[in-house]
Amino acid sequence: MDTLEHIDAYWRAANYLSVGQIYLLDNPLLTEPLRPEHIKPRLLGHWGTTPGLNFCFAHLNRIIAERDQDMIYIAGPGHGGPAAVAHAWLEGTYSEKYPDISRDAAGMRRLFRQFSFPGGIPSHVAPETPGSIHEGGELGYSLAHAYGAAIDNPDLVVACVIGDGEAETGPLAASWHSNKFLNRDRDGVVLPILHLNGYKIANPTVLARIPESELLDLMRGYGYRPHVVGPSHEEMAQTLDTVFDEMRDGGPLPMIILRTPKGWTGPREVDGQRVEGTWRSHQVPLADVRHHPERMAQLEEWMRSYRPDELFDADGRPREIVLRAVPDKRMSGSPHANGGEILRPLVLPDFREHAVEVKAPASHESEPTRALGGFLRDVIAANPASFRLMGPDETVSNRLQAVFEATDRTWNADLEPGDDHLSPDGRVMEVLSEHLCQGWLEGYLLTGRHGLFNCYEAFIHIIDSMFNQHAKWLDASRDIPWRRPIASLNYLLSSHVWRQDHNGFSHQDPGFLDVVVNKKASVVRVYLPPDANTLLSVGDHCLRSRDYVNVIVAGKQPVLDLFTMDEAITHCTRGLGIIDWASTDAGQEPDVVLACAGDVPTLETLAAAALLREHLPQLKVRVVNVVDLMRLQPPSEHPHGLSDAEYDALFTADKPVIFNFHGYPWLIHRLTYRRTGHANLHVRGYKEEGTTTTPFDMAMLNDIDRYHLVMDVIDRVPGLAVEQAHLRQHMADARLRARAHTREHGEDAPEIREWTWPYSS
Amino acid sequence: MDTLEHIDAYWRAANYLSVGQIYLLDNPLLTEPLRPEHIKPRLLGHWGTTPGLNFCFAHLNRIIAERDQDMIYIAGPGHGGPAAVAHAWLEGTYSEKYPDISRDAAGMRRLFRQFSFPGGIPSHVAPETPGSIHEGGELGYSLAHAYGAAIDNPDLVVACVIGDGEAETGPLAASWHSNKFLNRDRDGVVLPILHLNGYKIANPTVLARIPESELLDLMRGYGYRPHVVGPSHEEMAQTLDTVFDEMRDGGPLPMIILRTPKGWTGPREVDGQRVEGTWRSHQVPLADVRHHPERMAQLEEWMRSYRPDELFDADGRPREIVLRAVPDKRMSGSPHANGGEILRPLVLPDFREHAVEVKAPASHESEPTRALGGFLRDVIAANPASFRLMGPDETVSNRLQAVFEATDRTWNADLEPGDDHLSPDGRVMEVLSEHLCQGWLEGYLLTGRHGLFNCYEAFIHIIDSMFNQHAKWLDASRDIPWRRPIASLNYLLSSHVWRQDHNGFSHQDPGFLDVVVNKKASVVRVYLPPDANTLLSVGDHCLRSRDYVNVIVAGKQPVLDLFTMDEAITHCTRGLGIIDWASTDAGQEPDVVLACAGDVPTLETLAAAALLREHLPQLKVRVVNVVDLMRLQPPSEHPHGLSDAEYDALFTADKPVIFNFHGYPWLIHRLTYRRTGHANLHVRGYKEEGTTTTPFDMAMLNDIDRYHLVMDVIDRVPGLAVEQAHLRQHMADARLRARAHTREHGEDAPEIREWTWPYSS
């Protein structure tokens, strides 16, 4: 079979290039015997998985050529970086993206040298790698990424190699079931290739050691048609033909179980110990080659076993026997793997049409996320093939249900009476796995589409590490000119800490913001819109943005409408500002600043300002609301940072600032510790005092309530402590009464529930 | 069948008590018609899963009685809190733990009232719930907890109800494979009961809608013998008999698939809409009962459908027909579910025997984790049934391999040539799932045993949310007198940010510390031992502690030995201290303080101190090393906090402090912002500048390197900036040279690799 010869030649070439990357500084074509100075001083990289990755890639290329198939390739074992780089180079893509790495001997030398080398490229598949949307340094997300890429891409096949190590992770184990969310008419196909090479770092893998019948049951149980392939070109080619036929026959989708030795074609033994086919081939089979001549000889023998002379001409160019295996539709050059290239802006309806009417500030309440739901409904309707809303079955709970006027939940299994808005065409993807929501959305965004992930605030921590990896991907991508900007990853965190009073302590955690702010300022944005109109404005802004991670924290419970839509737009554009109607400083230097961020803290702050207006009418109080948290940082730390002069103008340089914050209070200190007036800043926030109780009791438990804020003002404004001791006691008593009422009656006290605002009069 | 009648009576009683908890403030026995004031003002709780949980519990009790079986019960759907509380009350355990909640009408009234009520108990299964080791508010961890509880408990069966919602999560999906790590001779048995009630919050569940044959394949693929049971006492009883026989027959372990309607026995229809058997029964089937008389009537009818008069006598005591279903070995009272009760202290060998010899400080290098490995080996040997080491296949990579001199890796599947230290008796549990490592260890600790989780630092973020939940559990447990202290959850984070230069950006993240420090000070501890002997001292301390989460960050690469063992013990006991031999302040007020925490930052600080000694011998430099990070906080914030006087004595009140930190720099600001000299504190740390490079280049990228620290000193010590401009330039040049060398040669410059320390002379 002539074709198999080309595939084998291509595979050998890729293997040769992979070994070269791990070992060689120079002498790439082995035109002379290896000498120590040809060898890298630090040998870094992962050989074990690499030949298998090369094998799959080579065979898939035949299918692409024969069937004119659009395909991308996800290397779950992303530590097999040399493989992905080798293919991009063999296919010519690497030299297109990086012209100094030409497809010849000089380029090959640079290709080898740069790998896992300071100033060069990472040892893992990375943003730097053409053709990849998947880093794979942290294992577990390949298959979710693959499904995210396949959705709304009807002509695409996403080949996804899953290492048997990765297959042990939770996120991967859950990802198999993603097939239930794939619409065969409108989505592409994912081809999982479970690569069993038997070992992880030092241990055998679970799936490689269970009986094959059990493994086949498992794959059938996941809803696939499994095909087992051994380490043979013939078997792989035949199976791929079968599998690509099966993809369109209406039966369960196929998947492949590929068994190969780990470190296949590498050294069989080193220093008397078996290496090929064992965990010892995981990283660098031959260590410290520079100082061991016998290992250098073994390395040369190993590289020559691929018969490089057959594969590359004297100038280092791949010969025809290799190039014939390269299809026109190169996976390394697929625009799907550089999503920004094919990104089309969302068609965005006017968010202002969803404004809640605000005749007077603080005179009416709305549910912010419900208003946003209306906007999202129109976004979905206007973008029927490029926007998805993800969530762990909380879309209605988070009060975004208006979206179901325009679409359904994605569901491809049976329907039963009583089911609510399910259909294969649904654009809301709900599964009880934050990992899948995140992984799908990442895959969807990285292939050039748009979306939003809505989640309970506490449980977004489940994907902390996925967020970290995506933020790092975006950060690294910014330095790669050919990676075009993609749509931002947008989080809407609702059902937040202050309104999970009923679900209790386990549901109360605002710490995701602290994780987010650790990542590069160029990538992360945090918004805390305090009412419906500001949420709409922020939502619109985030959907337009590129290459960011936007975190929006917003409530679903009714909160006071503070801003007309025009005011909201201005306020959000500034990112923070004085709420004039709640302030009593009348444009003068205030006695105290009440700052706030987050809907519930803002309400309590406004109530505290009302109490101060009533009880201390002479006190000049300034209320400042912060929507864009990054404005608090100095401009040297974040591009959104307020200048020191602006900061001081708002917060004063020397007056007490009582900052009522949605999250853990130290985040505000962290953002502001370089500011002039930092010593006068007193932050209230969640201090991990949680339980099952009422909303106002939650506020009191953490001292963010109106009464405590007034007490804070009395304690901090010079002169008030003695003069207003009575008022302070009055506030403390009000807290005790409120608490006693709650414990007696199980609901907030009437003076809280029926609180009247002084602002609209 | 007489027994089934008792089971049914018990089940009805549990259902009745569950409904009562959700709805009633008063009139618990329905001795009069329901009136509005009997109904809670806020109706909170989750009915949907509750009758299924009650059903399983009731039937398992029969098995316990008939077979005298030790058993505990894990309710994966922990939101079904009313179920667990009802059983503890029916079994009499609740009244033992909480004497005011007596097993009579008065107690029942209080039981109902306190549920999900301010000042009462959470709506989820929680630490407050007798018989539970599992909160279940955040879904995904029930089965991993179950396996952790079963390990090393040969006589125990852990019944684990898994909701079909939870079954969609990644951690749960991975947990099925835990059966490969169970040694049938030495461990107990886990009985998974997959409860398919068909719906999550608003969506159907995946596993309830796939064909049954597929589901059976899936369970067989996971290695279980599945048994399907419908909503029938007869079927459940027969199946349980079969299943408990099968547990000991040597075949695959059995599991049960239980299909019931969601909200089974609850209202069939409400306001014309089907409720029982649909997602509408997830929470409170009848809303706002107080203001809808027809719903009140429906509630009363519903409660009376359980025929309470048959179940409770006039005084509210459970009648004989119910009590006969309660076994002697009550699951609600099992000591395994209150692990501190049966906790035995570890037999701890003397860690000092593993000391590395330090003839002179800074004269020799050791690998800290390798030294700890020797200690852990002896801990394992001395505690053959109560200590486990968990890790995602990184134990050798983290250089703890000495443990394999005493034990193996747990492995119950086939062995093949080349396998390394695998056996069914192994006490090191390695699986490529941080979720499983964490979940198993939590289950193991909560049932009264000991352990340590070793992990790459970056990837511990994968279990951020599990850490959060465990920390919350420990925090809440402290207020519950009958919960006895359990062994601390110990993390050893190695392969840390500064030495993942070779694996690149995806492997570089020290942010777990920020997540940890958000939790209650009474629970969390963070240690950064800078050398081998301090790591040994810290390790011993952590293994002795109770009810904490201890995070130890320590390197595996060779680092300088700084302290003799005696010095290390003193240093760790103090938590921080001056390194005299590196300081030049000679007991006087220094000109500058070089503070450090973490092994690599400490090395760079010591090198900077050496450079200053060489170039600026008159400068009085004080070097302070911090092992116990919590010492930096004020004592008002953390029990380990240094007093302000002590802090000022060490760090000075007004001299510049250059703090070289292992993690993100702002954590140090957060811990110290209330300190006198905070304005003079300048922190260096990881600022998210990562890539594949050399160790020293990583330091330079983030400005924590020796040269930059000297530049910082020159910039901050008054007078030096002008006077020492030349030295500053000299340092900047050294950086450029080091960087150029690295980029040219792929390794650190000779002056770094062959650096000579001035201290030992």
Side-chain angles (χ1 to χ4, degrees), chain B residues 242-289:
Chain B
T242 308
V243 149
F244 275 81
D245 290 343
E246 284 181 355
M247 275 180 195
R248 304 292 175 184
D249 73 3
L253 288 173
M255 62 82 58
I256 291 173
I257 297 166
L258 171 65
R259 289 190 192 270
T260 79
K262 184 155 184 157
W264 188 18
T265 71
R268 298 197 60 172
E269 281 197 358
V270 177
D271 299 338
Q273 286 195 302
R274 176 97 179 277
V275 172
E276 188 195 23
T278 82
W279 54 273
R280 288 190 185 84
S281 64
H282 180 67
Q283 294 188 318
V284 177
L286 296 161
D288 198 17
V289 171

Side-chain angles (χ1 to χ4, degrees), chain B residues 308-314 316-325:
Chain B
D309 294 345
E310 286 179 26
L311 310 173
F312 307 102
D313 67 18
R317 294 191 180 84
R319 291 187 194 272
E320 190 55 25
I321 191 174
V322 172
L323 291 179
R324 247 188 258 166

Side-chain angles (χ1 to χ4, degrees), chain A residues 1-71:
Chain A
M1 191 165 167
D2 194 39
T3 318
L4 287 189
E5 194 187 321
H6 298 142
I7 292 176
D8 184 65
Y10 180 97
W11 182 48
R12 284 187 282 127
N15 285 340
Y16 182 87
L17 293 169
S18 299
V19 182
Q21 290 176 77
I22 294 173
Y23 284 97
L24 296 192
L25 275 181
D26 209 341
N27 189 18
L29 287 166
L30 298 179
T31 44
E32 53 183 320
L34 279 178
R35 295 198 307 274
E37 61 269 31
H38 299 152
I39 309 292
K40 295 185 180 184
R42 296 179 85 206
L43 297 176
L44 304 174
H46 293 80
W47 166 249
T49 187
T50 298
L53 288 173
N54 288 339
F55 184 77
C56 296
F57 200 100
H59 277 272
L60 290 165
N61 266 348
R62 178 184 66 86
I63 295 285
I64 291 171
E66 289 182 3
R67 304 189 181 219
D68 192 32
Q69 176 66 57
D70 276 329
M71 203 182 303

Side-chain angles (χ1 to χ4, degrees), chain B residues 540-694:
Chain B
D540 175 76
H541 173 77
C542 291
L543 292 181
R544 290 175 192 277
S545 74
R546 298 285 179 270
D547 271 355
Y548 296 146
V549 176
N550 296 308
V551 184
I552 308 170
V553 185
K556 66 185 185 184
Q557 303 288 348
V559 292
L560 218 52
D561 299 324
L562 308 179
F563 300 100
T564 65
M565 186 45 91
D566 284 346
E567 290 165 353
I569 293 170
T570 305
H571 188 56
C572 293
T573 306
R574 287 184 185 148
L576 79 183
I578 298 171
I579 302 186
D580 285 323
W581 45 260
S583 304
T584 53
D585 58 342
Q588 299 176 324
E589 178 86 352
D591 299 313
V592 64
V593 176
L594 298 186
C596 50
D599 58 354
V600 169
T602 297
L603 278 190
E604 290 305 316
T605 298
L606 290 171
L611 287 166
L612 289 168
R613 176 182 295 213
E614 177 187 349
H615 294 286
L616 293 174
Q618 300 87 342
L619 192 73
K620 284 177 284 180
V621 176
R622 175 181 295 171
V623 177
V624 175
N625 177 262
V626 180
V627 175
D628 174 354
L629 209 59
M630 302 296 99
R631 295 288 273 162
L632 295 175
Q633 293 191 78
S636 57
E637 295 291 313
H638 196 284
H640 288 192
L642 273 184
S643 73
D644 280 338
E646 289 172 297
Y647 184 94
D648 292 349
L650 266 179
F651 292 98
T652 79
D654 55 0
K655 294 299 183 293
V657 179
I658 317 290
F659 198 121
N660 213 25
F661 180 50
H662 172 85
Y664 292 103
W666 25 85
L667 179 54
I668 299 299
H669 286 294
R670 164 175 161 178
L671 297 174
T672 60
Y673 71 89
R674 299 189 182 186
R675 299 295 192 177
T676 318
H678 181 252
N680 306 309
L681 180 68
H682 191 64
V683 187
R684 294 288 172 193
Y686 184 64
K687 47 183 193 177
E688 201 66 15
E689 291 291 346
T691 184
T692 306
T693 186
T694 62

Side-chain angles (χ1 to χ4, degrees), chain A residues 333-382:
Chain A
S334 172
H336 293 292
N338 184 14
E341 220 174 275
I342 49 175
L343 178 76
R344 282 194 251 168
L346 278 178
V347 178
L348 280 174
D350 190 347
F351 67 97
R352 285 167 290 212
E353 289 177 10
H354 301 272
V356 301
E357 196 184 2
V358 181
K359 289 187 181 159
S363 63
H364 188 264
E365 292 189 339
S366 301
E367 296 155 310
T369 54
R370 198 179 290 272
L372 185 72
F375 176 55
L376 291 175
R377 174 195 62 213
D378 294 357
V379 172
I380 288 170

Side-chain angles (χ1 to χ4, degrees), chain A residues 230-500:
Chain A
S232 140
H233 285 309
E234 286 77 7
E235 275 187 53
M236 186 66 169
Q238 282 166 14
T239 303
L240 280 176
D241 284 334
T242 307
V243 149
F244 274 81
D245 290 343
E246 285 181 352
M247 277 180 195
R248 305 292 176 185
D249 72 4
L253 288 172
M255 62 81 58
I256 290 173
I257 297 166
L258 171 64
R259 289 189 192 270
T260 79
K262 185 155 185 157
W264 188 17
T265 72
R268 300 195 61 173
E269 280 196 1
V270 177
D271 299 338
Q273 287 195 301
R274 177 94 179 277
V275 171
E276 188 195 23
T278 80
W279 54 272
R280 288 191 185 83
S281 64
H282 180 68
Q283 294 189 318
V284 177
L286 296 161
D288 197 17
V289 172
R290 267 193 175 187
H291 301 106
H292 291 82
E294 77 287 2
R295 294 189 195 159
M296 191 145 21
Q298 200 175 355
L299 170 63
E300 187 166 332
E301 183 191 4
W302 172 16
M303 292 192 72
R304 290 198 191 280
S305 75
Y306 299 120
R307 307 194 298 278
D309 294 345
E310 287 180 26
L311 310 173
F312 306 102
D313 67 19
D315 294 328
R317 293 191 181 85
R319 292 188 193 273
E320 191 56 23
I321 191 175
V322 172
L323 291 179
R324 248 189 257 167
V326 174
D328 291 339
K329 292 188 165 172
R330 297 169 286 169
M331 291 192 279
S332 63
S334 172
H336 293 292
N338 184 14
E341 220 174 275
I342 49 175
L343 178 76
R344 282 194 251 168
L346 278 178
V347 178
L348 280 174
D350 190 347
F351 67 97
R352 285 167 290 212
E353 289 177 10
H354 301 272
V356 301
E357 196 184 2
V358 181
K359 289 187 181 159
S363 63
H364 188 264
E365 292 189 339
S366 301
E367 296 155 310
T369 54
R370 198 179 290 272
L372 185 72
F375 176 55
L376 291 175
R377 174 195 62 213
D378 294 357
V379 172
I380 288 170
N383 300 275
S386 61
F387 181 87
R388 293 269 180 165
L389 180 62
M390 312 288 180
D393 196 14
E394 292 158 0
T395 301
V396 170
S397 173
N398 287 330
R399 307 208 180 158
L400 300 170
Q401 53 265 67
V403 298
F404 295 119
E405 296 163 16
T407 188
D408 296 308
R409 301 175 172 95
T410 317
W411 188 256
N412 289 286
D414 291 345
L415 293 178
E416 290 188 12
D419 284 347
D420 184 46
H421 285 101
L422 306 181
S423 95
D425 283 332
R427 308 201 59 74
V428 179
M429 303 188 70
E430 298 201 303
V431 63
L432 214 161
S433 165
E434 286 79 1
H435 291 111
L436 286 188
C437 293
Q438 172 85 14
W440 290 342
L441 183 54
E442 287 178 0
Y444 198 66
L445 299 175
L446 286 160
T447 49
R449 284 79 62 78
H450 307 261
L452 184 144
F453 177 6
N454 83 93
C455 189
Y456 277 29
E457 183 187 41
F459 302 142
I460 198 68
H461 270 301
I462 290 170
I463 55 76
D464 276 2
S465 212
M466 297 181 78
F467 153 78
N468 278 342
Q469 297 299 335
H470 189 73
K472 283 172 182 277
W473 177 283
L474 292 176
D475 182 14
S477 295
R478 282 165 179 263
D479 298 328
I480 303 167
W482 59 266
R483 283 252 173 224
R484 309 305 307 152
I486 60 170
S488 298
L489 172 55
N490 300 307
Y491 294 100
L492 174 68
L493 306 186
S494 197
S495 305
H496 62 55
V497 54
W498 300 109
R499 291 298 176 92
Q500 284 293 302

Side-chain angles (χ1 to χ4, degrees), chain B residues 103-164:
Chain B
R103 194 157 59 163
D104 56 21
M108 195 193 290
R109 180 177 174 278
R110 279 194 283 269
L111 187 82
F112 288 2
R113 186 183 179 86
Q114 68 166 5
F115 175 79
S116 206
F117 199 84
I121 61 166
S123 67
H124 293 62
V125 181
E128 288 85 347
T129 318
S132 180
I133 61 164
H134 178 78
E135 210 272 355
E138 178 172 312
L139 299 174
Y141 317 127
S142 62
L143 194 53
H145 284 167
Y147 276 96
I151 294 163
D152 291 325
N153 263 330
D155 300 325
L156 187 67
V157 168
V158 183
C160 180
V161 181
I162 301 155
D164 44 358

Side-chain angles (χ1 to χ4, degrees), chain B residues 368-391:
Chain B
T369 55
R370 198 180 291 273
L372 185 72
F375 176 55
L376 290 175
R377 173 195 62 213
D378 295 354
V379 171
I380 289 170
N383 300 274
S386 60
F387 182 87
R388 293 270 181 165
L389 179 64
M390 312 288 180

